[in-house]
Amino acid sequence: MFVLTPACNGGRKHRADSIVNKDSVPTMRTYGVTTFISDSGIVSYKIIAEEWDVYSRPDFSQWSFEQGVYLEKFDTLMHVTASIKADTAYYYDKKKLWELRSNVHIRNLAGDKFDTSLMFWDEEAKRIYSDKYISIEQADKQIVGVGFESDQSLTNYTIRQTSGIFLVEDTAPTDTAKLVSADTVKPAVVDTTQSTARWRKVSGRKPSLPTTKTSKSELYEKQSKPLSSSTTSPKDTLVMP
């Protein structure tokens, strides 16, 4: 005879452990997001993200972008005033505060580039700030510092503990002296009227008609030619010193 008796387990049922940390489970999770965010009916910025987690509980409310995020900030005319990229971002919707972390790259409308590891964007106060190292690259200089504060358009900003690299234009005067070819130099014109008259007075000859002005080269050529023996006497010979 077999007697069947039920096993006693105290009436306990096996259940899976409940999730203790509720903050780890998002209310909504979306992949491959491209969306526009508006404030008071006006489009404020565009978001592009690989993964977007939304937490909307009373004790914990924020957006998380753990896989990176790209933002474009618009003005009232829908012009892009700034673009922002970061490896990780958090948006605290009740405070209207963005926290951007790791490889934060920002570009403003003028084309200036801002690189840092941590940046906060306070929409309520309309300012962007950081207490970390930051590098700002402009067309003609690069500025680095520790600590940064700016308006939302990134046009009026203050940098603390600054240093930088500046491009200085070479304004040294250039040599304006020009070399003149020897072929272009003309011989000076010499008036030989007085010297010819003195020579004729010494030689006993009558003054001839006024001579024309000749150059030094022509005068030297005439004086260097030998005089003909048939027309020149010894006293007519000009002795050069």
Side-chain angles (χ1 to χ4, degrees), residues 214-225:
T214 59
S215 64
K216 286 183 178 180
S217 59
E218 292 175 349
L219 178 62
Y220 178 79
E221 182 179 0
K222 289 181 180 180
Q223 292 179 353
S224 61
K225 290 182 179 180

Side-chain angles (χ1 to χ4, degrees), residues 179-234:
L179 298 178
V180 181
S181 174
D183 297 337
T184 63
V185 178
K186 296 181 180 181
V189 178
V190 180
D191 188 356
T192 60
T193 303
Q194 295 182 359
S195 60
T196 304
R198 287 197 300 270
W199 181 80
R200 290 185 181 278
K201 183 176 180 180
V202 174
S203 61
R205 293 188 177 186
K206 295 181 180 181
S208 58
L209 294 175
T211 59
T212 59
K213 295 181 180 181
T214 59
S215 64
K216 286 183 178 180
S217 59
E218 292 175 349
L219 178 62
Y220 178 79
E221 182 179 0
K222 289 181 180 180
Q223 292 179 353
S224 61
K225 290 182 179 180
L227 299 177
S228 174
S229 58
S230 60
T231 58
T232 307
S233 59

Side-chain angles (χ1 to χ4, degrees), residues 31-83:
Y31 298 96
V33 179
T34 299
T35 185
F36 292 87
I37 305 299
S38 61
D39 184 10
S40 301
I42 300 175
V43 177
S44 299
Y45 46 88
K46 180 174 70 173
I47 298 177
I48 300 175
E50 182 66 26
E51 182 179 321
W52 180 14
D53 294 337
V54 178
Y55 302 86
S56 58
R57 288 182 294 274
D59 58 336
F60 186 77
S61 180
Q62 74 174 39
W63 301 348
S64 296
F65 303 90
E66 299 287 349
Q67 303 300 321
V69 67
Y70 173 78
L71 298 172
E72 285 185 349
K73 178 71 176 65
F74 300 106
D75 60 12
T76 56
L77 300 177
M78 289 296 295
H79 296 152
V80 178
T81 59
S83 61

Side-chain angles (χ1 to χ4, degrees), residues 62-114:
Q62 74 174 39
W63 301 348
S64 296
F65 303 90
E66 299 287 349
Q67 303 300 321
V69 67
Y70 173 78
L71 298 172
E72 285 185 349
K73 178 71 176 65
F74 300 106
D75 60 12
T76 56
L77 300 177
M78 289 296 295
H79 296 152
V80 178
T81 59
S83 61
I84 303 172
K85 291 193 298 184
D87 289 347
T88 305
Y90 303 99
Y91 179 65
Y92 308 102
D93 55 332
K94 291 185 177 180
K95 299 179 181 179
K96 293 187 176 181
L97 176 65
W98 282 92
E99 180 182 350
L100 306 163
R101 290 184 171 273
S102 182
N103 293 322
V104 182
H105 305 291
I106 305 175
R107 182 189 292 267
N108 65 5
L109 187 61
D112 301 338
K113 300 177 183 178
F114 303 78

